[in-house]
Amino acid sequence: MTQKVKIEIDGRTCEATPGEMIIAVADRAGIPIPRFCYHKKLSIAANCRMCLVEAEQGGRPFPKLVPACATPVMEGMRVQTRSALAREAQQSTLEFLLINHPLDCPICDQGGECELQDLTLRYGKDKSRYAEAKRVVKDENLGPLIATEMTRCIHCTRCVRFGAEIAGLRELGATGRGDHMRIGTYVEQTLGHELSGNIIDLCPVGALTAKPSRFRARPWELIQVDGIAPHDGLGSHLHLHVRGRQLVRVHPRAQEAINETWISDRDRFSYTGLSAPDRLGEPMIKREGGCWQALEWQGALQIAAERIREAGSELGALIAPNATLEEMYLLQRLVRGLGAQAIDSRLRQQDFRGDAADASLPWLGVSIAKVEEQEGILLIGSDIRQEQPLLAHRVRKAALAGGLVATVNPYRLDLTFPAIQFTASPSGMLRELAALAKALRKRGSGTLRTLISEVKPTAQQVEVAEQLKQAGKRYRGLILLGALATAHPDYSLLRALAHLIADATRAKVGFLPAAANSFGAYLAGALPHRLPGARPAETPGLSAEAMLNKPRKVYLLWGLEPGFDLADPAKAVQGLDRADFVIACTGYRSPALERVADLLLPIALFAETSGTLVNAQLDWQSFRGAIPPPVEARPGWKVLRVLGNLLELEGFDYRSSEEVLEELRKQCAHAKPNNDPRGDLKKLPPRLSNGDRLYRIGNVPIYALDALVRRAEPLQANAEFLQVSLNPDQAAEMGLGAGDQVEIDQGEGKLAKAPVRLDPRIPRGCARIPAGLSGSEQLGPQIGPVSLEKR
Amino acid sequence: MSLKSTPQTLPTDPAVRENLFNPEIRAAIDRHIAKYPPEWKQSAVMPALTLVQEWNGGWLTIELMNEVAAYLEMPPIAVYEVASFYGMYDLKPTGRHKVCVCNSISCLLNGSEALIEHVKKRYQVAPGETTADGKFTFKEVECLGACRHAPVVLIDKTYGENLTPEALDRWIEELD
Amino acid sequence: MVERQNSVCFRTLHLDQPWRLDSYRSIGGYGQWERILQERPDPADLIEQLKLSALRGRGGAGFPTGLKWSFMLRSAPGQRYIVCNSDEGEPGTCKDRDILRYNPHQLIEGMAIAGYCIGATVGYNYIRGEFFEPTERFEAAVQEAYAAGLLGKDIGGSGIDFDLYVHNGAGAYICGEETALLESIEGKKGQPRYKPPFPAQSGLYGRPTTINNTESLASVPVILEKGGQWFLDQGLPNNGGLKVFSVTGHVEKPRNLEVPLGTPFRELLAQCGGVKGGKKLKAVIPGGSSTPVVPGDQMMELNMDYDSLAKAGSMLGSGAVIVMAEGTDMVKVLANLAHFYAAESCGQCTPCREGTGWLSRVLHRILKGQGRREDLDLLDDAANRIMGRTICALGDAAAMPVRSFLKHYRHEFERYIAQGERCVS
Ligand SMILES: Cc1cc2nc3c(=O)[nH]c(=O)nc-3n(C[C@H](O)[C@H](O)[C@H](O)COP(=O)(O)O)c2cc1C
Ligand code: SF4
Ligand code: FES
């Protein structure tokens, strides 16, 4: 351990690590030092000169004032932050900054929460002596998320450093020099990075503000409520800012172990989807001829209960993996209470052959914070920046610290850090992994043996294998499986190979949850093969795939849209069409849902209900409702409670969601995270052949993940639309060119049409045709054979 | 992990990179790249911009800056920052020549004001602008480091020393 | 004095085509480098000679060169760099240009020796972009030196490597500041770095680096040839050797003169033919535009060395002596200087970015006859608030002229404000 030193700040003795900056020590001790450019997560720029302090070392004063943010402490240092000289300097800096800063706080969106305003009140003079003309700066349109008023910019460069250091993508810069220096993109372009919204929080003044919430409220009118983000596997901590019955904006809440001080743009702006025009406000029922009619909750619930009772064990339930733990738990109680076995939340999976051997309680394999300490990471089937933006940031940190990051994916990723990317068709992915296993001298058994015997590792694969092994030796190796692996037709074999490589390298295997509560489903029992507490079910029920293949009498859909949220929408709709009755508990109406459903029950969404989400490292994160749900919509757990009562199921008299949670928690006392397969995954024959068929790669783009983000207008403004991305060589062979319209045929269902886009990142044999996008509702399996026909 | 002393790389597809500019410019830029450590291709950004600017007739377009960025595998914004910082890069169209008159102290003491006034009047051109016939862009510049010859004028790549308005006229006359 | 003139950096001036290798050879050039290649002396001994010589940095700050070199830990592993600062942008300064044009080989030899002393196998010479002809001269000399087997890898089988490259600037005074210069070589805007860490710990590409001015490095071969003691003896204690002064402004014969430190200003002025037109001397900026102005009468009594000028409240700086005759409009001169610093501020730190513009705008307003009485105190106060609070010394450089002009010539500013019209003393 490094030795500690003692220093004195304003007469107080503080303990510090040698080399730490004065400001960090002062912050810890709660001694305020004013600053603009300093931010503990960014490199030190020392450019604002706001933090100048007087210091002495060994009784000898420094010849000049020193910036507290850039002056490392040494034993016996004495610092004065409020001496006459220091105050005069701080006051001077403010005077200089205000020379060119507008003094119109009342009309500034940052007014009331502006660091410049605060510090001017505390440290500034009351009158400016500057009488010359002020700088006026033209604003750039940076896209739908961030509003600019660059005349207010004080050139602290936090936003520029954020791009370079955290996002890993420099979009903003400081061009020009002297007092002509401007912060911007220079070419007026939309900021496209998935973490770009964080510069709103970083900007100490009103130069960069959130466009969607701009001028919507003054900070002092807002109530701040804690929240948990409902999308990726982090469950980032949020501050929800509420005015009246409205959620006005979302900010990050610092949580070092999870989101540090950041949040993704998805977590920040998805709330805008809460007030989408197709939000469902009242229960509705489909009448003869397909027209919808509103009805009272009581009547609606009675109809629902009747139909469910009739279905009995013929009930099938599909629940979105971002539903709360309470909702999942109650829904599975209801299903199982009726003697039915069909409940699943793994909506985007198509290979369930490994269920018997499924990990007992999957998780990330290491804590979120530890990801950045890994020396070797193998990422299998994950477009990590799109799936888990902030986890991608941790992986980036690991890579920048010198760790190896290797990926096996069906297309090359745009990464902001060095990585070795193995890109191959879905069946090729198996061979890439087999080659890594072979490089590790593993022969495997069962199907793996055949796979491995057929491959020859490349020099690069040997190198990667070796580095993983070195990392594993120091317990710093991690193999992660992501959403593209989950959607893979041979997910079981991918997992088997991952475990084989892990065995040979002593790396840990970890899973990236598809959504905010995917692992919660194991604990709640919202899976066919798991009961509450992640206990294995003696007789596993029907998986999502099976229950759609063998249609149920009645389906209960919870929080999902059949055209967008299921692995094979075409087949799913067919299955749902054949049912007697479909009940959808949903936040929104949508054409696809209205087509298959008979009864719509409006439920509360993110921020409107209390509940719990379980993240990738299995933290149970509970939250309360911050705003009421719209019109007649109800929190999901309450809807399920009434249904349970109407169905006369026992023990459905919960008075609060906490009671539900308590009941579940008791059953989870023995649930331990464990990623080991509980049986054999490798006996299965591969579903994919090496043939030269074209495969669809149906990744889920970042802003297509769930019903809420799909309706967040600011995020959708520049989001991806449905295109068929092909390798240029492959397209040429097929006689296709950029912009050509093609019909996409996946065997069953209707055809979808989309334009062709050429992209060298796509390997031959693959067509990247995303899922979850408008136009993709009629398509077949997310990953599966496809043919294209030029129109 | 900071902007300082870490190259900011943004990889470019080799196929794209091999087709930027023309072979002579690529070779010239490559000679500069070879002067620096291999991971520091961005060190060649200034000479690359200089070469490309000259090839383009005196100024840089955004497209050209983007191509320099791609060639050196840097983020484009990092190239804009450099191009907009240094006074010798022009980001607007220029005339066929650049007439740069020093306006700093030694030249001021030796008659640069008269020289500047003369150019403005005689050629009807303000500093930063180009003559109507496109012959030259007029720039007032800070000290040229040749103060013992004040007043000093730099035309394209040549220093003119102890210039009088008449001598400057004669010189401008000779330009094509 | 005249006989010792031009005997260090300008010792080739009397030769025909002094920039050529054979010219330089003819006066014993590269003798020191060849001796090092053959004998591989202990670098510490060479650095000792430099310390003895009392050579102080000629770029402006006057830091002892030998001491600077000794900060480089030769034992530390990895790449190190020697960087020559030929950015020469300080108004009034035009000496390095002539060293590059007339004695490039001596600079190459100086850089190679410096590389050897600090353990650097690579050197960069940062030459300002406007110096087309000097760059050509220097690069041609580098080619000659490579061809003659004086540079490269394992030079002459000595096991010593030294590669030398040119990096051209592109028009930014701030790149003369040593860390801005390093940023510029790294392909960035020339924005000075906050120190510590100093370049000797973390410089170019994050590696230990020494930066010296052209004249400092070009002096080294002569110091080693004639001995540190000889060099010291040419000047004064703590002010060793000869120094090139660029004497410009209102003098009959503006020129560069390399004379012993301690030479009386009076003599220097006489060598330049006195004040232009036989006028009376009004004021002198003795060390480049950043140094405080000294009234003529006082200047006539001063000697040209670091300590004397410091005692008089100014600085030797880069040795650019800007002479102003009776009749010079001091308001206009100061406004011109203020404009320079505002135009050349890199823009990163607040007091300089905002303060230099402020100073310049107020001064130009006064110049236009729109001054206010409170402006002068404001100028002085604003300059004071820039001083010592910026990342690099450009802030001080902008502030010092303002403070000194107001101190010595306040009445001229007051008259401008009172009369609102041109005013000449
Ligand atoms: C704003 C500014 C401009 C400078 N310009 C130059 C310059 O043009 N040439 C130079 O040699 N030093 C210049 N310097 C000084 C350098 O930072 C540095 O001290 C010098 O190059 C070190 O070399 P020396 O010790 O040999 O003098 C400048 C300093 C500042 C603050
Ligand atoms: S003092 Fe001026 S030039 Fe120096 S770093 Fe600060 S802004 Fe840049
Ligand atoms: S003042 Fe003009 S060249 Fe120096």
Side-chain angles (χ1 to χ4, degrees), chain B residues 35-36 42-43 87 103 148, chain C residues 98 124 166-167 185-186 205:
Chain B
K35 300 197 286 200
Y36 311 101
Q42 73 174 52
S43 275
N103 69 9
R148 70 189 176 93
Chain C
D98 283 354
Y124 293 98
V166 169
H167 186 102
I185 299 181
E186 288 182 5
Y205 305 125

Side-chain angles (χ1 to χ4, degrees), chain C residues 55-65 68-69 83-90 93 95-96 128 173-181 192 195 211-217 290 306 317-318 340-341 344 392-395 397:
Chain C
L55 170 68
R56 292 170 62 166
R58 303 304 196 216
F63 193 84
T65 304
K68 191 188 263 188
W69 290 11
V83 173
C84 173
N85 187 343
S86 297
D87 194 50
E88 190 150 72
E90 173 91 347
T93 319
K95 64 194 178 68
D96 298 338
R128 62 178 296 175
Y173 163 68
I174 191 59
C175 289
E177 197 283 341
E178 56 188 19
T179 54
L181 184 154
K195 288 149 283 216
I211 301 120
N212 275 116
N213 171 253
T214 312
E215 185 186 348
S216 312
L217 286 166
S290 311
Y306 294 95
S318 60
F340 174 82
Y341 292 105
E344 296 296 338
C392 83
L394 190 140

Side-chain angles (χ1 to χ4, degrees), chain A residues 94-142:
Chain A
L94 279 170
E95 182 173 33
F96 284 129
L97 282 174
L98 292 173
I99 281 183
N100 276 309
H101 189 90
L103 301 175
D104 53 0
C105 307
I107 62 155
C108 173
D109 195 38
Q110 192 90 357
E113 53 184 353
C114 170
E115 293 173 42
L116 182 59
Q117 192 181 29
D118 292 350
L119 292 183
T120 303
L121 292 175
R122 221 170 328 146
Y123 299 88
K125 294 198 228 189
D126 41 4
K127 211 168 147 270
S128 169
R129 298 177 295 168
Y130 182 77
E132 322 304 311
K134 279 194 190 241
R135 168 169 66 220
V136 177
V137 183
K138 196 174 149 275
D139 285 315
E140 276 185 1
N141 183 359
L142 300 183

Side-chain angles (χ1 to χ4, degrees), chain A residues 29-290:
Chain A
I31 300 168
I33 297 181
R35 85 286 308 270
F36 293 110
C37 70
Y38 174 76
H39 189 279
K40 65 175 194 272
K41 293 280 176 189
L42 301 175
S43 67
I44 288 165
N47 62 26
C48 77
R49 319 309 283 174
M50 190 63 214
C51 68
L52 294 175
V53 294
E54 246 185 299
E56 60 177 68
Q57 179 68 48
R60 289 210 346 256
F62 284 77
K64 296 194 264 185
L65 296 176
V66 295
C69 74
T71 308
V73 300
M74 283 179 285
E75 176 64 42
M77 184 182 254
R78 290 178 56 193
V79 177
Q80 290 186 54
T81 74
R82 320 249 26 213
S83 67
L85 202 58
R87 276 160 171 269
E88 187 263 318
Q90 292 156 1
Q91 196 187 49
S92 301
T93 298
L94 279 170
E95 182 173 33
F96 284 129
L97 282 174
L98 292 173
I99 281 183
N100 276 309
H101 189 90
L103 301 175
D104 53 0
C105 307
I107 62 155
C108 173
D109 195 38
Q110 192 90 357
E113 53 184 353
C114 170
E115 293 173 42
L116 182 59
Q117 192 181 29
D118 292 350
L119 292 183
T120 303
L121 292 175
R122 221 170 328 146
Y123 299 88
K125 294 198 228 189
D126 41 4
K127 211 168 147 270
S128 169
R129 298 177 295 168
Y130 182 77
E132 322 304 311
K134 279 194 190 241
R135 168 169 66 220
V136 177
V137 183
K138 196 174 149 275
D139 285 315
E140 276 185 1
N141 183 359
L142 300 183
L145 306 181
I146 295 161
T148 59
E149 255 182 71
M150 295 321 284
T151 301
R152 305 188 187 279
C153 170
I154 57 166
H155 304 94
C156 69
T157 68
R158 280 187 191 174
C159 58
V160 177
R161 282 175 285 150
F162 176 84
E165 295 160 16
I166 308 297
L169 178 71
R170 290 208 56 201
E171 296 180 293
L172 289 173
T175 54
R177 75 172 180 225
D179 63 3
H180 296 290
M181 183 166 87
R182 299 285 181 265
I183 302 293
T185 63
Y186 192 73
V187 287
E188 181 140 10
Q189 69 181 20
T190 294
L191 299 187
H193 194 276
E194 64 277 9
L195 304 178
S196 67
N198 289 295
I199 61 176
I200 295 165
D201 312 323
L202 287 175
C203 180
V205 294
L208 304 171
T209 53
K211 212 177 243 183
S213 56
R214 200 165 180 228
F215 301 134
R216 293 267 309 275
R218 295 310 242 163
W220 52 86
E221 305 167 340
L222 297 173
I223 296 169
Q224 179 166 295
V225 187
D226 289 353
I228 298 295
H231 304 292
D232 60 39
L234 248 60
S236 291
H237 285 211
L238 308 176
H239 278 312
L240 309 177
H241 290 162
V242 173
R243 190 182 58 181
R245 300 166 61 89
Q246 257 203 334
L247 179 50
V248 176
R249 63 182 192 190
V250 170
H251 278 186
R253 174 158 55 99
Q255 178 54 264
E256 226 14 73
I258 296 177
N259 50 304
E260 305 176 61
T261 49
W262 318 120
I263 51 173
S264 65
D265 288 2
R266 187 164 61 188
D267 290 347
R268 182 186 301 267
F269 293 111
S270 67
Y271 77 91
T272 53
L274 288 176
S275 48
D278 63 350
R279 190 71 204 269
L280 182 67
E282 312 161 282
M284 305 202 74
I285 189 155
K286 196 191 261 169
R287 297 294 185 200
E288 294 300 312

Side-chain angles (χ1 to χ4, degrees), chain C residues 195-373:
Chain C
K195 288 149 283 216
F198 290 93
Q201 293 125 42
S202 174
L204 184 60
Y205 305 125
R207 308 296 317 161
T209 303
T210 295
I211 301 120
N212 275 116
N213 171 253
T214 312
E215 185 186 348
S216 312
L217 286 166
S219 303
V220 168
V222 177
I223 294 173
L224 292 190
E225 183 188 314
K226 302 201 174 160
Q229 187 64 47
W230 174 86
F231 192 78
L232 175 62
D233 291 344
Q234 304 306 300
L236 303 169
N238 194 33
N239 293 263
L242 283 76
K243 165 89 190 78
V244 181
F245 291 100
S246 305
V247 187
T248 69
H250 294 151
V251 288
E252 279 296 340
K253 285 186 279 173
R255 58 196 291 199
N256 279 323
L257 271 174
E258 188 174 42
V259 298
L261 282 171
T263 300
F265 169 75
R266 193 184 283 280
E267 265 182 56
L268 197 63
L269 183 62
Q271 290 253 338
C272 297
V275 178
K276 205 173 177 179
K279 286 197 186 157
K280 190 169 174 297
L281 180 68
K282 176 169 182 178
V284 175
I285 299 176
S289 66
S290 311
T291 60
V293 66
V294 180
D297 299 344
Q298 191 186 350
M299 197 65 209
M300 284 309 250
E301 308 306 318
L302 287 175
N303 295 338
M304 296 303 291
D305 60 84
Y306 294 95
D307 295 339
S308 307
L309 286 170
K311 234 180 279 157
S314 188
M315 295 190 313
L316 185 96
S318 60
V321 182
I322 303 166
V323 176
M324 287 168 275
E326 188 181 24
T328 305
D329 180 345
M330 298 310 260
V331 178
K332 186 186 255 181
V333 169
L334 184 60
N336 177 280
L337 293 177
H339 168 84
F340 174 82
Y341 292 105
E344 296 296 338
S345 163
C346 85
Q348 74 173 320
C349 66
T350 306
C352 172
R353 178 185 63 245
E354 307 295 346
T356 54
W358 191 3
L359 296 177
S360 173
R361 282 189 286 275
V362 172
L363 281 162
H364 280 89
R365 186 160 50 68
I366 296 175
L367 196 62
K368 275 197 287 180
Q370 296 160 6
R372 306 186 191 116
R373 246 190 310 144

